[in-house]
């Protein structure tokens, strides 16, 4: 099966004028509920954007922090991160979030498909993996929808609110990506 390209979202580099739109995502408690951090302040979001823009011009580039925009506008409605795994050749970790007002419309699957396309088709990665909270059902379903296999559990991976939390790992290999992602771009 050939990967069907997503058609509602575009991927671009983040910009300084994305602060407000990214804060609408990362400043929201429901969005960060299962993430490794508490809701971000506007100042923290500004730092994320500054770091993302700086990493974009590093050589070699080890991190791609990207904005997902609706095809009809240039406004950021989602954020994604593909970061080279320092412990494995041609591997990266993935993270993604969509503005809460747009959940449940297939945009999570589209955004993750765009990130995997970047990783495999442009960066020639061999393996991409993501770690989610055991309670994050939406993330589980989203990663399964793009053919990422649930591989196992990293015990006490994340320290949040003073408690250690396990992570569940999902991953996809280059050959699996090139065979096609069954639910991508629906
Ligand atoms: C995870 C996230 C990006 C999904 O975005 P979305 O646009 O709602 O996702 P989609 O509409 O593409 O749905 C993807 C799958 O998740 C399922 N899903 C969505 N929300 C769900 C929920 N609250 N509970 C269970 N499943 C859910 C959908 O039914 C779909 O599964 P299917 O293909 O088997 O039908 C979004 O919930 C989000 O931004 N969450 C906060 C950040 C986060 O947790 N990121 C992941 C970090 S590991």
């Amino acid at each position: 099966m050939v990967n069907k390209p997503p058609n509602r979202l575009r991927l671009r580099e983040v910009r300084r004028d994305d602060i407000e739109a990214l804060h609408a995502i990362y400043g929201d408690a429901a969005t960060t509920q299962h993430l490794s951090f508490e809701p971000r302040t506007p100042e923290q979001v500004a730092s994320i954007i500054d770091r993302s823009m700086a990493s974009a011009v590093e050589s070699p580039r080890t991190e791609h922090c990207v904005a997902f925009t609706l095809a009809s506008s240039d406004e950021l409605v989602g954020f994604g991160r593909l970061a080279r795994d320092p412990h494995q050749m041609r591997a990266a970790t993935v993270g993604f979030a969509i503005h809460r007002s747009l959940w449940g419309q297939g945009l999570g699957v589209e955004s993750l498909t765009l990130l995997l396309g970047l990783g495999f088709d442009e960066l020639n990665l061999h393996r991409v993996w993501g770690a989610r909270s055991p309670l994050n059902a939406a993330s589980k379903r989203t990663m399964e929808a793009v053919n990422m296999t649930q591989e196992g559990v990293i015990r006490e991976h994340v320290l949040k609110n003073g408690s250690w939390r396990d992570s569940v790992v999902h991953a996809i290999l280059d050959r699996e990506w090139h065979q096609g992602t069954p639910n991508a771009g629906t």
Side-chain angles (χ1 to χ4, degrees):
M1 188 189 302
V2 175
N3 293 312
K4 200 170 130 193
N7 49 25
R8 287 175 295 177
L9 291 182
R10 301 283 180 266
L11 182 155
R12 65 158 169 78
E13 301 284 356
V14 289
R15 303 186 306 233
R16 203 96 222 307
D17 63 359
D18 287 325
I19 293 175
E20 198 177 330
L22 183 54
H23 183 251
I25 298 173
Y26 274 175
D28 176 53
T31 301
T32 62
Q33 180 186 9
H34 298 302
L35 301 183
S36 58
F37 52 85
E38 296 295 320
R40 302 291 198 194
T41 64
E43 293 72 27
Q44 288 171 325
V45 169
S47 298
I48 291 170
I49 290 193
D50 285 347
R51 281 202 310 272
S52 302
M53 290 173 63
S55 72
V57 292
E58 278 173 7
S59 183
R61 187 171 182 178
T62 57
E63 197 175 26
H64 288 74
C65 294
V66 295
F68 299 113
T69 61
L70 291 175
S72 52
S73 79
D74 204 32
E75 189 184 350
L76 182 154
V77 295
F79 183 75
R81 180 169 180 264
L82 197 64
R84 291 279 185 159
D85 184 341
H87 305 294
Q88 192 189 355
M89 286 175 62
R90 290 175 53 204
T93 56
V94 74
F96 49 96
I98 294 288
H99 190 284
R100 185 152 60 97
S101 67
L102 299 171
W103 287 357
Q105 301 175 32
L107 296 179
V109 172
E110 284 199 19
S111 63
L112 186 51
T113 302
L114 285 168
L115 271 183
L116 294 179
L118 171 66
F120 291 119
D121 299 336
E122 292 186 34
L123 304 178
N124 192 31
L125 295 177
H126 171 60
R127 174 184 151 85
V128 175
W129 63 280
R132 65 168 173 88
S133 157
L135 299 178
N136 196 342
S139 176
K140 175 182 195 291
R141 296 277 295 272
T142 303
M143 290 196 278
E144 287 173 345
V146 299
N147 217 17
M148 294 177 78
T149 298
Q150 187 171 309
E151 293 187 331
V153 172
I154 306 175
R155 295 182 303 151
E156 302 198 358
H157 183 216
V158 169
L159 183 62
K160 189 168 179 186
N161 296 329
S163 301
W164 289 103
R165 191 210 79 194
D166 292 351
S167 288
V168 181
V169 170
H170 295 245
I172 179 169
L173 304 175
D174 48 3
R175 63 177 173 276
E176 296 164 343
W177 168 256
H178 292 300
Q179 279 160 11
T181 50
N183 297 319
T186 53

